[in-house]
Amino acid sequence: MDPAVLGTRLASSVLTPLVKQLLTRDGPGAGLVDKPVRLSGLVTFRGEKRSLGEKEVGHLAGRLVREAVQSPGEPPFLADEQEAVTAALARRLLALGDLDMDDIQAVRLGHRRLARTLREAAPAPDLSTDAAYFLDSVTEWACLHILHFFTQRSTFAARTLVEQSRAQSELIAKVDALITRTPPRDAQDTAFEARYRAHLAARHNRVTIFGLDLRDSPDVWPLDVAYLSLEATREAGPGDAHGEPQEATTVQVRAEDAFDGHDRVLLRGEAGSGKTTLIQWLAITTTGRIPYVLPLRTLIRASGFPSPAAFLASADCPHIPPDGWAERVLTAGRGLVMVDGLDEVPSAERPRVRDWLLGLVRAFPGNRWLLTARPTAVRSDWLAGDGFAELSLAPMGRRTVGAFVHRWHAAAGAAEHEEPLLDALRAKPDLSLLATNPLMCGMICALHRARRGYLPPRRKALYDAALQMILTDRDRQRGMGGLDGIELDTEDQTELLQRLAYALVLAGRTEMDEATALALLERALPSVPDAARQGDAPAILRHLLLRSGVLRSPAPQVVDFAHRTFLDHLGARYAVEEGHLDVLLGHAGDTQWEDVVRMAVAHARTRERTTLLRGLLAVDSPRLTLLALASLQDASAVEQEVLEEVRDRAAALIPPRTPQEAAQLALAGPFVLELLPGPKDLTDDEAHAVVTTASRLGHEGSLPVLKRFRSHASLDVRRQLVGTWRRFDAQEYADEVIAHVDRDQLDLTVTSEEQVRAMWTMPPWRRVDLSGEYPLDTFMGALDPEVARFLTLRGNPYITDLRELHALPSLEFLALMYCSEVRDLAPLAEMRLRHLSVIDLPALPTLSGLSRVTGLCSLSVLQPIPGDSLAAYLPVGAPLDQLILGRGATETTGLTGLDAFPELTWLNLSGDGAALGPRDWEQLARHPALARLSVDSRFLPAHGPITELTGIRALHFHLDAGTEEQVSRFAPAFPCAQYVRLFFTEDAAPAPDDLYAELFPQAEVKVDRPGQ
């Protein structure tokens, strides 16, 4: 297995320094005399006075594992196995120091065999298949970088040159001897092969889009522009990987690497999955071997299958090779024979194909052989006994679909339609379910382009067009009609398929056993006479499985639909035809029936449509009201009275106006995304609520909605856009949303290593809030020393020596939160910081140096301050204007020492804390500058009045009870307050606003109630 398989998850620029920590640096000298260095002498652990111990190696292993686990896409294994995988990887890395070999031997061995040696030295524990596969992959990846490090050492290079020069004469002699024994290849062969490769390039360097009738739209595109790599899966059984015993498991490989470890491959794939396109790609890109492309649908027309001498003629190649050329190519093992389309041969002829192919394989060993077929064409072990490995083309993932859409539009010269289509694929889950293979992606791209950037306005039209193409048009355009004596038109196939679909919908399942499918078809065939005339139920089912492209058999004796979209579409059609409207309405509350109900509205006639829509409104459920509104998009005609009723009911829900309404709206499900308006004609509050709804859903379809608001001026909207970054692919969201947001007063919130990497691709931010465990060198370079002004670091044990922050001379605001290894704040005294937040760092006095940071205008301390005076640990002499104390900061000190900060105008006492005593209130009353006070009710005395504070002009109170009595007890202490704001917890029950206003007659009073 190539370590590049892991390269999509592990960035070398980030992780190579970690691997280097395992290895020592070069010593002096070129090392021409010394022997090669033993591996035990090159590692930084084992023995005495090494820089790493087992604990540190374990930490490095943990970093490697986290890099991959937290990267985009599906996790490589279950989260609860992460600790076991980390421990196993650490044991393998430690085993490096016990190997009995030197560095040159290790390099000669290669990274794969070195990794195997480490696996043998430190076998994996009892892990799942996915975790074991990941462990082996990351071991190979690490070995590749370790060997690369060896080759870069100066002593290694010098010794290697010496050995190479000594071996050079022997190598030259051997080559000369070989040349004398082997006559040069016939010049005619060489010239012909050049002509033949040019023919292959001209013939196969194109992709044809079948089944489309598009005016002014070419149906052929350059393959070298449009092709993208697909993935295939194979079952790895005992002895399959490097000849070592192992349990059977499913592994994923690039389709182009199908021959990695195998010379004989049976490649299965659904209709349109890219089997033929892959063969074309191999034909034009293969070097070192001579490709033969043999389409079976052409070969079967001849009286017999061709011999090697007739390969080119049977494939319509106009060039005539030199006599005996094909024999020489195959005898030398230089051939790549690709036989395409076993499913396009009648079933009775397939044994003859097998005998012909195996005869060639046995006659000409050493060549490569590829046979393609649909999944149900032959049984699973059809060629397994003859050394053929089986691979299956995997459905295209979101990233692959995005790459396909990009390359398709590049090939078509239609770049202006690319981004709108990608947005449509994200916003419409049903559409993205169709786009799982190149055929369907190509169809969607072509329809979108032909309609100048718009897909059919109603999904029913799109699905009908797709079914027409894959059920009949594609095979007819390829001359494949009438295979096995059965040829069904689209309507007949649809009639049969919809019976199967409705049965699955009713059962709440996505697959059925073959016996059930046969029973359903037997009952359906009498009503489809043309199908009944051509075959019985087993024959028709085989034909639908093999040729329809809609029905498939994912496992023996099991039948399902290739796309859930077609299942819902066809099931809804049959439900409407049978008049089962009550059944549909009875299941409308089930989220699994959402698309069935919507498609039923599309298939229904006007009267039936009215019944369905009124039935949805009758339940008086916000979700079903919204489902009725969404269904209108698929309806061709609706009674005006019903249309107005649906819209009036939905207007109370969309747009949402508050975060609370947004949260309720998001509960309806992803289909709501299609209904969200804006940003035009929305107030700032409505825009914020719409963005909040899309953010809460965190769905792929949320991204197009959020993109519409990326230029919005509201700070709340912009904060929501940046704050929801964690729910999406980091780089994609950074490029499509964050890069376009106005940064004024906005913090960039970074919560993952993926986002840290994305930071490097952005223009520098002034304000960054960074949460997580990251060494400074992974993010400091993304901060511009002249731009960075505000920095928050949360939960980062790598932050130890704060002198490293001197690289940010313009920094004015720093918050250190939960950074467990910070011990000394004194280095901050040398910076131009104006505000510092210290939150849950190591306890004072273990944490030192705070008193020396005397340039601060603002300070937050949210952790206990020991002793009996604030002045003992806070920076006396600092021109503090604002002080925030919380989380037990004043538990032992109270407010003693507050007078050491005479310039203080604003004090905030928040969170947990003991009630202030009389002396503390007197401290406040005597303070010469204090004008603003924000205080939690827990700091108030339980009984009795408090000292009058005549200097306070602005008062914020955070209360856990809302009674007038509680507020009236402390209101007289603030006779000069001009502005009062009261905040209540969720459990509080505030009194009417006018009662609070009467308690502060001289002030403007604002009440923040729970849920507002």
Side-chain angles (χ1 to χ4, degrees):
M1 177 183 56
D2 194 327
V5 173
L6 208 58
T8 58
R9 288 187 173 273
L10 299 176
S12 293
S13 62
V14 175
L15 296 180
T16 297
L18 295 177
V19 176
K20 284 186 176 180
Q21 292 182 48
L22 299 170
L23 306 167
T24 61
R25 299 173 180 269
D26 256 347
L32 295 178
V33 178
D34 293 340
K35 295 180 179 180
V37 180
R38 310 301 291 178
L39 294 194
S40 58
L42 288 171
V43 296
T44 54
F45 46 87
R46 296 283 191 265
E48 298 181 0
K49 298 183 179 180
R50 297 301 178 98
S51 59
L52 296 184
E54 292 188 10
K55 178 180 178 181
E56 288 76 15
V57 173
H59 182 73
L60 291 178
R63 288 274 295 152
L64 289 169
V65 173
R66 286 197 302 274
E67 276 287 335
V69 170
Q70 296 174 4
S71 294
E74 291 295 323
F77 54 84
L78 296 177
D80 58 6
E81 293 188 279
Q82 185 168 337
E83 185 175 345
V85 171
T86 298
L89 178 59
R91 287 194 295 272
R92 288 189 177 177
L93 295 176
L94 288 167
L96 187 69
D98 297 328
L99 297 184
D100 187 22
M101 65 177 71
D102 57 48
D103 54 350
I104 292 181
Q105 290 172 331
V107 173
R108 286 175 177 169
L109 198 64
H111 70 276
R112 288 190 178 91
R113 291 182 63 191
L114 179 60
R116 192 188 317 171
T117 303
L118 293 179
R119 289 201 299 270
E120 293 170 352
D126 186 17
L127 299 173
S128 68
T129 299
D130 289 342
Y133 175 70
F134 170 84
L135 177 60
D136 290 345
S137 300
V138 76
T139 302
E140 284 198 12
W141 185 92
C143 286
L144 181 66
H145 285 267
I146 288 168
L147 296 187
H148 179 66
F149 175 81
F150 288 167
T151 62
Q152 291 182 316
R153 300 174 64 245
S154 60
T155 56
F156 177 91
R159 290 195 307 272
T160 304
L161 288 173
V162 171
E163 292 203 7
Q164 286 177 341
S165 64
R166 291 171 180 170
Q168 193 69 30
S169 297
E170 181 181 353
L171 177 61
I172 293 173
K174 289 181 179 179
V175 171
D176 288 342
L178 180 63
I179 291 174
T180 60
R181 294 196 303 269
T182 306
R185 181 181 299 175
D186 192 332
Q188 288 183 331
D189 284 5
T190 303
F192 172 76
E193 288 173 13
R195 294 197 305 275
Y196 175 58
R197 288 188 183 277
H199 160 74
L200 290 175
R203 178 163 184 170
H204 294 295
N205 189 23
R206 60 185 181 180
V207 178
T208 303
I209 301 175
F210 292 96
L212 300 178
D213 180 17
L214 304 178
R215 184 182 305 170
D216 302 325
S217 181
D219 63 355
V220 176
W221 313 108
L223 179 62
D224 54 4
V225 176
Y227 181 79
L228 80 161
S229 175
L230 299 175
E231 289 188 332
T233 60
R234 65 177 172 86
E235 295 297 323
D240 196 35
H242 309 300
E244 296 180 348
Q246 60 178 22
E247 295 182 3
T249 182
T250 299
V251 298
Q252 206 151 13
V253 297
R254 292 195 315 164
E256 300 95 308
D257 297 332
F259 293 108
D260 187 11
H262 307 280
D263 285 336
R264 306 172 190 178
V265 173
L266 171 60
L267 179 68
R268 298 179 187 264
E270 303 287 352
S273 60
K275 301 183 297 296
T276 299
T277 304
L278 173 62
I279 283 181
Q280 291 178 252
W281 183 251
L282 293 173
I284 67 174
T285 60
T286 295
T287 59
R289 291 182 181 270
I290 302 298
Y292 297 94
V293 180
L294 305 176
L296 279 171
R297 62 178 176 271
T298 301
L299 303 185
I300 199 66
R301 298 171 190 159
S303 56
F305 292 106
S307 65
F311 278 0
L312 299 193
S314 62
D316 296 328
C317 176
H319 300 292
I320 300 175
D323 290 342
W325 172 77
E327 184 88 9
R328 290 192 292 276
V329 168
L330 295 179
T331 301
R334 296 197 300 122
L336 169 57
V337 183
M338 296 178 286
V339 183
D340 188 26
L342 179 63
D343 53 279
E344 298 173 355
V345 174
S347 56
E349 294 291 330
R350 290 169 197 164
R352 198 157 65 90
V353 173
R354 183 177 183 276
D355 293 342
W356 164 70
L357 180 60
L358 292 179
L360 291 170
V361 169
R362 292 160 184 162
F364 299 102
N367 295 282
R368 286 184 170 174
W369 310 84
L370 175 66
L371 176 65
T372 71
R374 292 193 185 179
T376 55
V378 291
R379 65 179 188 273
S380 58
D381 60 347
W382 198 63
L383 286 171
D386 298 285
F388 275 77
E390 287 204 12
L391 277 77
S392 297
L393 284 174
M396 295 165 64
R398 185 171 67 87
R399 289 180 178 275
T400 309
V401 169
F404 182 98
V405 170
H406 172 71
R407 296 195 183 187
W408 193 99
H409 285 84
E416 70 277 10
H417 297 312
E418 178 185 333
E419 186 170 356
L421 178 56
L422 288 173
D423 285 345
L425 287 169
R426 296 187 188 109
K428 298 178 181 293
D430 53 300
L431 185 62
S432 64
L433 287 175
L434 282 178
T436 56
N437 64 52
L439 174 67
M440 296 304 297
C441 278
M443 181 208 75
I444 292 169
C445 289
L447 286 173
H448 185 260
R449 177 187 180 229
R451 288 163 174 77
R452 301 297 188 265
Y454 294 93
L455 288 167
R458 297 187 181 92
R459 296 187 300 167
K460 179 179 178 295
L462 175 64
Y463 300 163
D464 287 341
L467 286 171
Q468 177 69 33
M469 179 187 71
I470 61 178
L471 288 176
T472 53
D473 290 356
R474 185 168 184 264
D475 272 358
R476 286 175 180 169
Q477 291 189 24
R478 301 174 77 189
M480 294 306 303
L483 191 66
D484 283 337
I486 297 176
E487 185 169 6
L488 302 177
D489 64 20
T490 303
E491 191 60 32
D492 284 349
Q493 292 186 73
T494 300
E495 182 66 31
L496 297 172
L497 290 167
Q498 70 182 17
R499 310 286 183 98
L500 302 178
Y502 189 52
L504 286 171
V505 169
L506 281 176
R509 301 178 60 186
T510 58
E511 62 182 31
M512 65 176 63
D513 59 77
E514 189 174 301
T516 302
L518 286 171
L520 290 168
L521 289 176
E522 285 176 356
R523 292 198 294 269
L525 278 175
S527 61
V528 189
D530 191 50
R533 178 182 53 80
Q534 298 184 58
D536 57 9
I540 296 299
L541 180 59
R542 282 196 303 271
H543 178 81
L544 292 175
L545 288 170
L546 188 62
R547 302 307 313 166
S548 73
V550 175
L551 205 65
R552 65 180 186 177
S553 179
Q557 307 301 310
V558 175
V559 174
D560 74 355
F561 281 75
H563 301 279
R564 176 63 187 261
T565 297
F566 289 146
L567 170 64
D568 293 338
H569 173 73
L570 293 170
R573 171 175 156 155
Y574 188 72
V576 171
E577 287 183 0
E578 294 297 301
H580 292 178
L581 304 187
D582 289 343
V583 175
L584 291 165
L585 290 172
H587 289 86
D590 185 345
T591 57
Q592 296 297 317
W593 282 65
E594 278 177 5
D595 270 346
V596 179
V597 172
R598 291 183 62 178
M599 293 316 303
V601 172
H603 285 294
R605 290 163 293 191
T606 303
R607 184 175 300 175
E608 296 164 331
R609 190 172 292 132
T610 297
T611 300
L612 288 170
L613 292 173
R614 287 195 185 280
L616 293 173
L617 295 177
V619 181
D620 194 22
S621 158
R623 182 180 165 276
L624 294 190
T625 298
L626 294 170
L627 182 58
L629 181 63
S631 299
L632 293 179
Q633 301 179 54
D634 302 308
S636 56
V638 181
E639 289 183 6
Q640 185 65 27
E641 182 181 349
V642 176
L643 181 64
E644 291 178 359
E645 184 177 357
V646 172
R647 289 177 174 170
D648 287 346
R649 292 273 293 275
L653 303 171
I654 295 179
R657 297 161 184 82
T658 66
Q660 290 72 34
E661 289 183 10
Q664 290 300 313
L665 186 59
L667 294 176
F671 76 87
V672 168
L673 293 166
E674 302 175 41
L675 309 176
L676 293 175
K680 186 178 179 181
D681 299 328
L682 295 181
T683 66
D684 285 355
D685 287 343
E686 289 172 340
H688 181 226
V690 167
V691 170
T692 300
T693 302
S695 299
R696 280 181 168 270
L697 284 164
H699 187 271
E700 184 180 358
S702 301
L703 187 56
V705 176
L706 299 173
K707 283 174 62 178
R708 299 202 304 260
F709 291 83
R710 61 192 184 185
S711 299
H712 205 281
S714 165
L715 179 59
D716 286 339
V717 171
R718 292 184 285 121
R719 281 175 174 162
Q720 185 66 42
L721 288 174
V722 174
T724 197
W725 186 16
R726 68 186 186 279
R727 294 187 170 102
F728 300 89
D729 176 84
Q731 191 61 59
E732 181 181 32
Y733 195 84
D735 293 340
E736 299 201 22
V737 177
I738 294 179
H740 305 271
V741 173
D742 182 358
R743 299 180 174 191
D744 184 41
Q745 302 182 60
L746 194 63
D747 287 6
L748 179 68
T749 304
V750 181
T751 59
S752 70
E753 297 188 21
E754 181 189 17
Q755 292 177 343
V756 171
R757 290 192 291 271
M759 280 178 60
W760 289 79
T761 68
M762 303 181 195
W765 279 69
R766 294 182 76 246
R767 310 169 69 105
V768 176
D769 187 326
L770 189 68
S771 297
E773 301 180 7
Y774 320 105
L776 265 69
D777 60 0
T778 64
F779 67 85
M780 285 290 285
L783 304 175
D784 190 315
E786 303 303 320
V787 173
R789 296 290 191 277
F790 300 78
L791 179 62
T792 298
L793 300 172
R794 304 170 190 258
N796 196 333
Y798 288 99
I799 307 300
T800 55
D801 186 353
L802 295 181
R803 282 189 294 268
E804 296 184 77
L805 295 179
H806 291 175
L808 302 174
S810 300
L811 200 63
E812 299 174 359
F813 175 104
L814 176 65
L816 297 172
M817 308 171 66
Y818 325 114
C819 296
S820 59
E821 301 304 315
V822 174
R823 296 289 185 273
D824 186 10
L825 298 175
L828 301 180
E830 304 171 36
M831 302 179 67
R832 54 181 293 184
L833 288 179
R834 309 299 289 163
H835 175 86
L836 175 64
S837 286
V838 175
I839 303 175
D840 281 357
L841 299 186
L844 298 164
T846 300
L847 177 70
S848 64
L850 177 58
S851 61
R852 297 173 57 185
V853 190
T854 57
L856 299 174
C857 293
S858 175
L859 173 64
S860 298
V861 180
L862 274 66
Q863 62 184 64
I865 299 174
D868 55 9
S869 173
L870 297 174
Y873 290 100
L874 302 189
V876 175
L880 287 183
D881 176 69
Q882 180 182 7
L883 178 61
I884 300 173
L885 300 173
R887 297 189 184 178
T890 59
E891 190 73 26
T892 63
T893 64
L895 296 182
T896 302
L898 190 67
D899 52 2
F901 307 97
E903 299 178 46
L904 191 68
T905 65
W906 184 2
L907 176 65
N908 187 323
L909 301 173
S910 63
D912 297 334
L916 299 178
R919 292 184 179 179
D920 297 318
W921 292 106
E922 291 174 4
Q923 284 268 358
L924 294 176
R926 291 198 305 267
H927 198 284
L930 194 64
R932 299 179 65 183
L933 177 65
S934 179
V935 62
D936 192 286
S937 60
R938 281 168 284 193
F939 289 87
L940 296 172
H943 304 286
I946 59 177
T947 303
E948 189 175 86
L949 305 180
T950 57
I952 300 299
R953 299 293 185 269
L955 175 66
H956 289 182
F957 256 109
H958 296 261
L959 304 162
D960 55 9
T963 63
E964 179 187 3
E965 178 182 358
Q966 183 196 33
V967 181
S968 64
R969 189 165 54 83
F970 61 77
F974 303 96
C976 300
Q978 300 170 355
Y979 176 79
V980 176
R981 189 168 185 179
L982 305 176
F983 299 87
F984 293 96
T985 64
E986 291 291 335
D987 299 329
D993 289 7
D994 56 351
L995 293 180
Y996 297 122
E998 291 176 4
L999 296 174
F1000 298 95
Q1002 78 288 354
E1004 175 190 349
V1005 180
K1006 179 176 177 57
V1007 180
D1008 285 77
R1009 297 176 178 275
Q1012 287 186 340

